[in-house]
């Protein structure tokens, strides 16, 4: 095997790992200064790093100014076992990366932050300043980011600013249980929780494409709002008042299918330009009456029906806002 080839990291057959034996004397270890390849009777250097065995060359170990150069240039005392393995009292998990950096001045860092921290500790021990800087830079740049951040509305102005400046569709859940003046029906609390759980589920699934915001200052108890390019598209109010025998009660519903539908409709506004009229018409045609007269009347009748349908309020507490707006985008 060439002296510049990759190192064997697994323990060799017939050799018992020595655990944590290294640069301090131990049973069977022989101290002495290292005097080049002749000192080991081989052109390779054999290293036992915390019980893990490596082959490398003096050229690699002394390539950069580090503690390893001091060890293998005769300036530091090293210890060997009876078989000639140089003992280093460190964990061998990341020593392969240490040698890779000494060999190539670059290394593939571990995928996890914990792994990078472990490699950083080893680089500091061996006084390899370049690798120390590389690990520190990676830890600084790759700070763990939250998977999904949800703003909480604290004022009407803040809500307007978020919606008007956001380039993505917006889904808002207003949840304020204390707004209720009456008692709740038996399953209302469960439905409140289901609405909140669905909001969390949608935010995790679409956080990269939709801005999800939570409102705790509005007048409703549980209400969904959907926005696209700064305009309100639809609203799903989940509460209603029901009349019991002697008193009024507040009923909270969980219109799951409707919420999914409006969220997907909002995604039509994800990119510019605004979705074409035929696509928007297809998403809401089933809520309108028969269109046979419109088709016979031509384009003028279709425009008239479209204007009449702008402020349509659906029966099941669902308000739909106009998807057509003559304002220039951004206003």
């Amino acid at each position: 095997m060439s002296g510049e080839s990759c190192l064997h990291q697994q323990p060799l057959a017939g050799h018992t790992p020595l655990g944590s034996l290294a640069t301090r004397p131990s049973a069977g270890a022989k101290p002495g200064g290292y005097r080049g390849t002749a000192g080991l009777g081989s052109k390779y250097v054999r290293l036992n790093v915390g019980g893990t065995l490596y082959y490398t060359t003096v050229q690699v170990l002394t390539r950069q100014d580090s503690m390893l150069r001091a060890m293998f240039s005769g300036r530091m005392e090293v210890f060997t076992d009876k078989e000639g393995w140089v003992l280093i009292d460190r964990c061998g998990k990341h020593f392969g990366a240490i040698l890779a950096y000494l060999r190539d001045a670059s290394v593939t860092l571990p995928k996890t932050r914990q792994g990078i921290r472990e490699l950083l500790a080893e680089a500091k021990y061996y006084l390899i300043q370049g690798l120390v800087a590389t690990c520190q830079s990676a830890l600084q740049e790759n700070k763990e980011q939250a998977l999904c951040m949800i703003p909480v509305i604290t004022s009407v102005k803040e809500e307007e600013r978020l919606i008007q400046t956001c380039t993505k569709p917006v889904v808002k859940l207003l949840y304020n249980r204390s707004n209720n003046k009456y008692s709740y029906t038996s399953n209302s609390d469960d439905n409140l929780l289901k609405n909140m759980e669905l909001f969390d589920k949608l935010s995790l699934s679409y956080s990269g494409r939709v801005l999800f915001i939570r409102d705790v200052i509005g007048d409703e108890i549980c209400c969904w709002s959907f926005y696209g390019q700064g305009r309100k598209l639809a609203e799903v109010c989940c509460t209603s008042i029901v009349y019991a025998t002697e008193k009024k009660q507040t009923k909270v519903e969980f219109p799951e299918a409707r919420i999914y539908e409006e969220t997907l409709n909002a995604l039509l506004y994800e990119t510019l330009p605004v979705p074409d009229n035929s696509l928007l018409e297809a998403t809401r045609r089933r809520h309108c009456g028969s269109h046979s007269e419109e088709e016979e009347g031509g384009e003028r009748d279709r425009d008239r029906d479209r204007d009449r349908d702008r402020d349509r309020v659906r029966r099941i507490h669902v308000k739909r806002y106009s998807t057509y707006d003559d304002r220039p985008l951004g206003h």
Side-chain angles (χ1 to χ4, degrees):
M1 180 178 64
S2 170
E4 296 295 331
S5 61
C6 296
L7 306 174
H8 296 288
Q9 187 169 350
Q10 68 274 14
L12 300 184
H15 186 82
T16 303
L18 298 178
S20 184
L21 300 174
T23 54
R24 60 176 180 268
S26 60
K30 299 179 181 180
Y34 184 75
R35 293 181 174 79
T37 56
L40 292 177
S42 170
K43 62 180 180 179
Y44 303 115
V45 178
R46 299 187 297 174
L47 303 173
N48 183 331
V49 185
T52 304
L53 307 182
Y54 294 87
Y55 283 108
T56 187
T57 65
V58 175
Q59 181 183 7
V60 169
L61 293 171
T62 59
R63 183 163 293 174
Q64 298 189 32
D65 188 15
S66 66
M67 189 184 77
L68 292 169
R69 172 185 281 184
M71 289 175 61
F72 292 93
S73 62
R75 289 181 288 159
M76 284 183 62
E77 187 177 59
V78 298
F79 295 88
T80 61
D81 64 12
K82 60 183 180 181
E83 298 178 359
W85 292 85
V86 177
L87 307 178
I88 299 179
D89 187 17
R90 297 293 293 181
C91 176
K93 178 179 178 181
H94 296 289
F95 195 75
I98 296 289
L99 291 175
Y101 187 84
L102 293 176
R103 188 184 305 112
D104 303 321
S106 63
V107 68
T108 301
L109 295 177
K111 295 181 179 180
T112 64
R113 290 178 61 84
Q114 180 60 32
I116 296 176
R117 292 191 189 100
E118 293 172 358
L119 180 57
L120 174 61
E122 297 303 304
K124 288 181 177 180
Y125 176 80
Y126 293 111
L127 304 177
I128 307 174
Q129 297 305 320
L131 184 55
V132 169
T134 298
C135 293
Q136 290 176 337
S137 177
L139 290 172
Q140 185 67 24
E141 293 175 1
N142 299 327
K143 289 183 177 179
E144 293 180 356
Q145 299 293 330
L147 182 61
C148 177
M149 298 184 65
I150 300 176
V152 177
I153 299 301
T154 58
S155 68
V156 175
K157 289 184 177 180
E158 181 184 15
E159 177 183 349
E160 293 176 350
R161 179 181 59 80
L162 280 173
I163 293 172
Q164 294 297 327
T165 58
C166 183
T167 58
K168 300 186 292 185
V170 178
V171 174
K172 182 188 75 171
L173 173 62
L174 191 164
Y175 170 78
N176 196 339
R177 192 179 186 280
S178 62
N179 281 340
N180 186 26
K181 298 178 181 179
Y182 313 107
S183 61
Y184 284 104
T185 57
S186 58
N187 61 345
S188 289
D189 282 330
D190 287 341
N191 286 336
L192 279 171
L193 290 175
K194 288 179 181 179
N195 278 281
M196 296 177 65
E197 290 172 354
L198 180 57
F199 181 81
D200 293 339
K201 181 179 179 180
L202 289 173
S203 63
L204 288 174
S205 299
Y206 297 102
S207 60
R209 303 171 62 185
V210 177
L211 172 64
F212 290 85
I213 58 179
R214 194 186 299 271
D215 187 355
V216 294
I217 62 171
D219 297 328
E220 297 285 352
I221 296 173
C222 183
C223 184
W224 296 74
S225 300
F226 305 86
Y227 302 83
Q229 297 177 10
R231 300 191 286 268
K232 194 169 190 177
L233 307 175
E235 183 179 274
V236 178
C237 183
C238 303
T239 56
S240 60
I241 302 298
V242 296
Y243 292 86
T245 304
E246 298 179 353
K247 60 181 179 180
K248 297 179 181 179
Q249 286 186 308
T250 298
K251 179 181 180 181
V252 179
E253 299 175 291
F254 179 52
E256 182 178 14
R258 180 66 61 198
I259 294 167
Y260 270 111
E261 179 184 354
E262 298 300 345
T263 301
L264 295 177
N265 285 340
L267 287 174
L268 296 174
Y269 291 80
E270 186 176 12
T271 57
L272 293 172
V274 175
D276 59 52
N277 292 345
S278 62
L279 181 58
L280 291 172
E281 195 69 23
T283 64
R284 68 181 200 169
R285 180 160 293 176
R286 61 181 175 279
H287 301 292
C288 302
S290 172
H291 290 268
S292 58
E293 295 181 0
E294 297 173 15
E295 295 170 358
E296 295 174 359
E299 186 65 28
R300 181 180 301 176
D301 291 337
R302 281 194 290 271
D303 291 341
R304 182 184 59 193
D305 183 74
R306 186 180 303 131
D307 293 338
R308 186 181 60 204
D309 195 43
R310 285 184 174 182
D311 298 321
R312 185 179 182 88
V313 178
R314 297 181 188 154
R315 276 289 187 182
I316 55 171
H317 312 291
V318 179
K319 298 177 184 177
R320 181 97 182 188
Y321 288 78
S322 172
T323 53
Y324 301 92
D325 199 319
D326 297 331
R327 296 176 299 167
L329 293 179
H331 295 274

